[in-house]
Amino acid sequence: TTKIKFSIPSVIASGMNQSQNVSLKIYDILGKEVATLINENKFAGSFEILFDGSTLPSGVYFYKLRTGEFTETKKMILLNSS
């Protein structure tokens, strides 16, 4: 299990703070999606999501955060003990 932390900046239109669609997905080394952790509208703020990779084999994975026009991909190494 690991924590993925991220922040969403505020988007203000017409004087109102608006929510944004946020997507956080996990991909294996071949680019196959293996988990969707978030796919919903969220308001600005800081967030922390727990990812339990105990059902996945050890290896290199990527997580991709998308919100509005912003996309960020980061690498993580998963080590499961037998």
Side-chain angles (χ1 to χ4, degrees):
T1 303
T2 190
K3 290 180 189 176
I4 299 173
K5 298 178 183 182
F6 62 95
S7 296
I8 300 172
S10 61
V11 172
I12 299 176
S14 304
M16 297 178 59
N17 191 9
Q18 295 188 346
S19 65
Q20 300 178 62
N21 184 277
V22 177
S23 169
L24 180 59
K25 297 183 179 188
I26 309 292
Y27 298 88
D28 66 12
I29 193 73
L30 299 175
K32 179 183 171 193
E33 182 182 321
V34 296
T36 297
L37 304 181
I38 300 174
N39 190 18
E40 61 190 45
N41 285 334
K42 291 202 172 284
F43 286 98
S46 295
F47 300 90
E48 191 174 274
I49 301 296
L50 286 177
F51 170 60
D52 181 1
S54 61
T55 60
L56 298 172
S58 295
V60 175
Y61 292 85
F62 297 91
Y63 60 94
K64 182 182 284 189
L65 175 68
R66 288 185 180 172
T67 179
E69 307 239 341
F70 176 80
T71 301
E72 183 174 38
T73 303
K74 293 203 173 188
K75 180 170 67 170
M76 68 178 162
I77 298 174
L78 178 66
L79 296 174
N80 282 327
S81 57
S82 306

